[in-house]
Amino acid sequence: MDCGSGGGGLGASGSGGDHDSSDLSRRKKPYHRHTAHQIQRLESMFKECPHPDEKQRLQLSRELGLAPRQIKFWFQNRRTQMKAQHERADNSALRAENDKIRCENIAIREALKNVICPSCGGPPANEDSYFDDQKMRMENAQLKEELDRVSSIAAKYIGRPISQLPPVQPVHISSLDFRMASFDGYGVGAGPSLDLDLLPGSSSSMPNLPFQPVVISDMDKSLMSDIAANAMGELLRLLQTNEPLWIKSTNDGKDALNLESYERIFPKPNNTHFKSPNIRVEASRDSGVVIMNGLALVDMFMDSNKWLELFPTIVSIAKTIEVISPGMLGTHSGSLQLMYEELQVLSPLVPTREFYTLRYCQQIEQGLWAIVNVSYDLPQFASQCRSHRLPSGCLIQDMPNGYSKVTWLEHVEIEDKTPIHRLYRDLVHSGSAFGAERWLTTLQRMCERFACLMVSSTSTRDLGGVIPSPDGKRSMMKLAQRMVNNFCTSVGTSNSHRSTTLSGSNEIGVRVTVHKSSDPGQPNGIVLSAATTFWLPVSPQNVFNFFKDERTRPQWDVLSNGNAVQEVAHIANGSHPGNCISVLRAFNTSHNNMLILQESCIDSSGSLVVYCPVDLPAINVAMSGEDPSYIPLLPSGFTITPDGHLEQGDGASTSSSTGHGRSSGGSLITVAFQILVSSLPSAKLNLDSVTTVNNLIGTTVQQIKAALNCPSS
């Protein structure tokens, strides 16, 4: 955008003599076009600070060789441009909402035209017609009120109410119907007949999802405030008290809740939320130091989108249903929200846990915050939730040098409608699968990742000289994070996914999900995701090392056709050497234009290795520091989790053992693939695609077992 153009022009009259020409040249300002480097630097600064102060503008002026006035005008113009873009997007959303209301109204009118009496075939009886008319009048009044509201909002952006649009035809959602006969391949037998609905767009667009807006009265809000205040008192006592509430476990030395003392100190009606013999109580507490200041943590915890970004391996869905109280500006103290979230273990064998939660933040003193989560029952969704969160949460205390000490508590009542699969029974029943230690170790690892993202310095050792700038490093890290988030979504068993299980290469089978992809940053078309879990008598660390080492990649990567790979770029994103982002290139292949983006991460709760083919031009875009949001990704990978078995004896060992007794250190491995079935959104899924992904998983599982010298069955 030009900051120096404009100025004088030709007058209405004049002889065009020498005097007029020299006067014209003095009035005309030179036309200046910014260089690509100047624009890139200005855009980068705009992302960090859209309103730079005078000092920052002077620094940019010296750095780019531009006048401070040019810098000022560029930022003004850029902010105006962004505002216009946002207004256009909001206007489009409002028009879509208006179209939806119009479609509903048309459908109701058409339904009224076709109302007949089932006994005589004529119009319905008068009394039924009367009540139907009354119902229609009420619904139309509500629709008109909603339309007026949308029009008034739109008027702020376009200067007039939304004009009447032509009738919109109802959208017919195509169905996915693929029949399965016997498969040839890796132990795949006759499969069931499948009839899955193909969802438009992403999974979050499903109708009737439980986090849709609800109407909350003032009485409800008062009740919520009381519940949150009582929960905060209980949380603080549980976090700050040891015996008799907490005792050290003799098996692993962790804090275990003394239920008798708890029920005596905090008596509750019937002691449990559910009246069922299948109730289990899980309670865990842990503490540690994280590399992020307290206020930044509070800000991320109280924002459902940032919360989801912070815990992608645990939280599959997080939505703020209603802000009951916004709290104090800048500290979030007193903030109260009603939220919906689904928590997951990255395996198709473990169902997600749903919670409708009140999240309440309170600043106890300077540099000390407490955040409590407690379940709140919504009558319209009561039948869907089988999990109830008792007061849980964390205490965040500021420490020097930007660190914080976090004490975490998880306390839930779970109703198991179906038995936990035997592979995960020990891990889930011990409380480790969803416990405080997993939350805290994930938080520590992610905070290290954010710290690495914010560090501007680069080194040849880390980047191999391939990534030229700090902006390139940050862009690559953002691309890899989106890849990991996409992978976690594809593996989880969220209720918003439509899935089925096929007989597969092991006794567990392969879970298949299908969705129509149209979001930015995703390949357009029909995407098939498949995942399975199996157990190996190998320690999680050794399994992680096996997947992480590029020298052993040809032993399990069936898509590499046995070709060796070389790491051409490396970004460390944590203190553990296994936490890193790599760009890999395969040797001796015909696809010289294709690279592999891979992120690996590990902590005491488990590890991930996620990878995705990305073409060379897209990698160059990210490495140059440009926005990677629109680079399409279709990741695959592995999750490795300790099996939760404890060795008989001192109970302290966590490594593989060949001695007597039950060995600890086994691993639960989930392998997941995604393939683009068709680039046409209206395409049908055929049998070949299912067979391909089934065989792909079966071959991969067999090769992993062979490489690690494990029995194939």
Side-chain angles (χ1 to χ4, degrees), residues 524-601:
N524 287 326
I526 309 301
V527 175
L528 175 67
S529 304
T532 191
T533 298
F534 60 101
W535 177 81
L536 287 181
V538 182
S539 71
Q541 179 69 58
N542 290 341
V543 176
F544 176 77
N545 293 340
F546 170 72
F547 288 131
K548 178 71 176 63
D549 191 345
E550 60 264 25
R551 294 171 298 181
T552 58
R553 190 182 192 95
Q555 299 180 37
W556 57 263
D557 190 353
V558 296
L559 299 180
S560 69
N561 296 318
N563 294 312
V565 298
Q566 177 190 21
E567 186 179 53
V568 296
H570 179 96
I571 302 174
N573 60 2
S575 57
H576 192 287
N579 293 335
C580 65
I581 298 164
S582 303
V583 177
L584 307 172
R585 179 181 61 191
F587 289 123
N588 302 322
T589 66
S590 58
H591 303 288
N592 294 325
N593 203 36
M594 190 65 66
L595 301 173
I596 299 172
L597 176 66
Q598 176 173 292
E599 175 159 353
S600 58
C601 55

Side-chain angles (χ1 to χ4, degrees), residues 278-295:
N278 299 323
I279 292 298
R280 287 188 302 103
V281 176
E282 296 178 8
S284 55
R285 187 179 69 168
D286 200 6
S287 64
V289 176
V290 302
I291 183 171
M292 185 176 288
N293 68 72
L295 191 55

Side-chain angles (χ1 to χ4, degrees), residues 375-581:
S375 282
Y376 184 81
D377 297 325
L378 294 171
Q380 58 267 53
F381 303 127
S383 62
Q384 300 179 22
C385 278
R386 303 300 177 187
S387 311
H388 184 81
R389 179 172 262 154
L390 297 169
S392 306
C394 61
L395 194 64
I396 303 171
Q397 182 176 3
D398 264 335
M399 296 181 67
N401 302 321
Y403 285 75
S404 301
K405 180 182 179 182
V406 179
T407 306
W408 200 286
L409 169 69
E410 284 296 313
H411 191 191
V412 296
E413 290 177 340
I414 302 297
E415 182 181 13
D416 290 328
K417 302 300 288 185
T418 58
I420 301 295
H421 192 280
R422 61 175 182 80
L423 287 182
Y424 280 91
R425 194 171 300 141
D426 289 350
L427 196 66
V428 172
H429 284 190
S430 67
S432 300
F434 295 93
E437 182 182 7
R438 184 182 175 212
W439 284 94
L440 189 59
T441 54
T442 303
L443 176 64
Q444 290 171 321
R445 175 174 55 78
M446 290 300 293
C447 286
E448 284 188 358
R449 194 185 194 284
F450 283 123
C452 292
L453 180 65
M454 300 307 296
V455 172
S456 59
S457 63
T458 62
S459 69
T460 304
R461 180 183 64 83
D462 279 347
L463 305 180
V466 176
I467 303 177
S469 67
D471 287 339
K473 169 190 169 183
R474 284 192 284 267
S475 180
M476 288 292 292
M477 293 184 72
K478 291 177 181 177
L479 181 64
Q481 180 64 24
R482 181 161 62 86
M483 175 182 69
V484 171
N485 293 354
N486 180 295
F487 173 79
C488 293
T489 300
S490 71
V491 174
T493 58
S494 170
N495 292 328
S496 63
H497 298 169
R498 301 288 180 86
S499 66
T500 189
T501 301
L502 314 177
S503 58
S505 58
N506 53 55
E507 61 177 293
I508 296 167
V510 177
R511 183 184 61 87
V512 173
T513 62
V514 183
H515 71 280
K516 181 188 295 183
S517 173
S518 59
D519 294 337
Q522 299 299 322
N524 287 326
I526 309 301
V527 175
L528 175 67
S529 304
T532 191
T533 298
F534 60 101
W535 177 81
L536 287 181
V538 182
S539 71
Q541 179 69 58
N542 290 341
V543 176
F544 176 77
N545 293 340
F546 170 72
F547 288 131
K548 178 71 176 63
D549 191 345
E550 60 264 25
R551 294 171 298 181
T552 58
R553 190 182 192 95
Q555 299 180 37
W556 57 263
D557 190 353
V558 296
L559 299 180
S560 69
N561 296 318
N563 294 312
V565 298
Q566 177 190 21
E567 186 179 53
V568 296
H570 179 96
I571 302 174
N573 60 2
S575 57
H576 192 287
N579 293 335
C580 65
I581 298 164

Side-chain angles (χ1 to χ4, degrees), residues 107-409:
I108 292 172
R109 287 204 299 268
E110 291 298 323
L112 276 180
K113 294 178 182 178
N114 300 321
V115 172
I116 60 172
C117 177
S119 58
C120 67
N126 289 337
E127 58 271 14
D128 292 338
S129 177
Y130 172 79
F131 287 115
D132 285 341
D133 288 344
Q134 287 294 101
K135 181 179 179 182
M136 279 303 306
R137 289 191 185 96
M138 293 175 62
E139 290 177 349
N140 277 333
Q142 292 174 353
L143 290 172
K144 185 178 183 302
E145 182 182 349
E146 182 70 9
L147 183 58
D148 292 341
R149 183 184 67 83
V150 173
S151 297
S152 65
I153 295 174
K156 296 180 181 178
Y157 294 101
I158 62 178
R160 57 183 174 80
I162 295 178
S163 60
Q164 295 299 316
L165 300 176
V168 180
Q169 297 298 322
V171 178
H172 298 285
I173 302 175
S174 60
S175 62
L176 177 67
D177 185 8
F178 51 96
R179 307 288 175 184
M180 300 191 59
S182 59
F183 289 163
D184 294 326
Y186 296 85
V188 182
S193 294
L194 302 179
D195 188 4
L196 301 178
D197 290 330
L198 189 59
L199 306 178
S202 64
S203 60
S204 61
S205 65
M206 283 187 63
N208 301 323
L209 277 180
F211 47 77
Q212 291 185 346
V214 296
V215 178
I216 299 176
S217 66
D218 291 339
M219 184 177 296
D220 290 330
K221 292 182 179 181
S222 177
L223 178 60
M224 290 176 179
S225 298
D226 291 341
I227 292 174
N230 291 334
M232 178 63 75
E234 180 174 322
L235 173 75
L236 291 174
R237 190 164 181 183
L238 285 168
L239 288 175
Q240 298 172 335
T241 305
N242 292 321
E243 294 183 356
L245 278 172
W246 296 92
I247 55 177
K248 290 291 184 182
S249 171
T250 56
N251 291 329
D252 51 21
K254 299 177 183 177
D255 289 339
L257 185 64
N258 186 331
L259 293 180
E260 292 184 1
S261 298
Y262 173 78
E263 291 170 2
R264 185 175 65 254
I265 297 174
F266 304 105
K268 292 181 174 60
N270 300 326
N271 294 324
T272 59
H273 176 70
F274 302 113
K275 298 177 181 179
S276 168
N278 299 323
I279 292 298
R280 287 188 302 103
V281 176
E282 296 178 8
S284 55
R285 187 179 69 168
D286 200 6
S287 64
V289 176
V290 302
I291 183 171
M292 185 176 288
N293 68 72
L295 191 55
L297 284 175
V298 170
D299 180 64
M300 298 191 79
F301 288 5
M302 298 306 294
D303 184 319
S304 59
N305 294 325
K306 294 179 181 178
W307 175 258
L308 186 61
E309 181 182 356
L310 191 59
F311 296 102
T313 59
I314 304 177
V315 183
S316 59
I317 296 177
K319 296 288 182 180
T320 299
I321 299 176
E322 183 84 11
V323 177
I324 310 302
S325 171
M328 293 180 60
L329 184 64
T331 66
H332 294 284
S333 185
S335 176
L336 176 60
Q337 302 175 11
L338 176 62
M339 299 179 63
Y340 170 83
E341 64 178 352
E342 281 188 13
L343 309 183
Q344 65 180 349
V345 170
L346 293 178
S347 169
L349 300 183
V350 183
T352 57
R353 294 180 175 180
E354 291 181 279
F355 295 100
Y356 291 91
T357 301
L358 291 173
R359 178 165 296 177
Y360 176 52
C361 174
Q362 182 178 340
Q363 186 171 12
I364 309 301
E365 59 186 49
Q366 186 67 28
L368 182 65
W369 293 265
I371 297 176
V372 66
N373 300 305
V374 62
S375 282
Y376 184 81
D377 297 325
L378 294 171
Q380 58 267 53
F381 303 127
S383 62
Q384 300 179 22
C385 278
R386 303 300 177 187
S387 311
H388 184 81
R389 179 172 262 154
L390 297 169
S392 306
C394 61
L395 194 64
I396 303 171
Q397 182 176 3
D398 264 335
M399 296 181 67
N401 302 321
Y403 285 75
S404 301
K405 180 182 179 182
V406 179
T407 306
W408 200 286
L409 169 69

